[in-house]
Amino acid sequence: MPFRLLIAVAFFSVLGSPSRSQTLGVRDFVSGQVATLEVSGAPAGSTVVWLYSLSGLGAGTCIAGTPVCLGILEPVTIAEVGVAAADGTASYAVFIPPTLPLIDVHLQAVVVDYASGIDVSATNALAATIEPISSIDDDFAGPGLASDWRILNPAAAQ
């Protein structure tokens, strides 16, 4: 286990079972763009640790002192640490450099809640492929925009 992850795991390790279910999702995983990783269902104020691996999905490292095991394979890297908002969501925005190859990245988050003792849980693990910038192209031939398009300020749109 990489040293940084070992330190984080040791810091967050407790006896007990996770009592909540969180979900990890990813949007806009496109070369040269900002991707968003979002955890939902986390306790307000809990710590969220976003992890990634290039090795794959599968039975990964178990967090010492907890029943939590990762669903991504070693080596695992901590990408970011954040805090869940009052609505139970936590987001991490990351720029995907255009020089990266179009590869699969394996993602998961660990959520640590301090509200009633310490409760450690893991989100679903998922694989996201870095898409080429051409994947967000729209030929404007249809009656509407492709689902990847968003309106920046809907109140001002006509």
Side-chain angles (χ1 to χ4, degrees):
M1 178 181 304
F3 184 72
R4 280 182 59 192
L5 182 58
L6 182 60
I7 294 298
V9 167
F11 179 74
F12 294 130
S13 292
V14 299
L15 292 173
S17 62
S19 60
R20 303 180 194 242
S21 175
Q22 296 84 32
T23 303
L24 174 65
V26 62
R27 291 192 321 263
D28 305 324
F29 215 63
V30 177
S31 179
Q33 302 299 303
V34 175
T36 303
L37 283 65
E38 184 171 275
V39 171
S40 60
S46 59
T47 299
V48 178
V49 182
W50 284 276
L51 308 169
Y52 75 91
S53 166
L54 302 179
S55 300
L57 299 175
T61 300
C62 295
I63 299 175
T66 77
V68 176
C69 294
L70 298 179
I72 57 178
L73 301 175
E74 291 289 345
V76 173
T77 302
I78 296 173
E80 185 64 55
V81 177
V83 177
D87 67 355
T89 62
S91 295
Y92 166 48
V94 58
F95 178 71
I96 308 294
T99 55
L100 285 180
L102 305 179
I103 59 171
D104 287 340
V105 179
H106 309 92
L107 306 162
Q108 192 165 20
V110 172
V111 178
V112 184
D113 182 17
Y114 301 97
S116 55
I118 300 176
D119 186 20
V120 179
S121 57
T123 66
N124 55 303
L126 55 87
T129 302
I130 299 174
E131 299 291 334
I133 191 73
S134 62
S135 69
I136 58 173
D137 192 15
D138 196 320
D139 62 11
F140 300 102
L145 293 173
S147 62
D148 291 338
W149 287 86
R150 292 180 185 40
I151 298 174
L152 179 61
N153 187 356
Q158 294 180 346

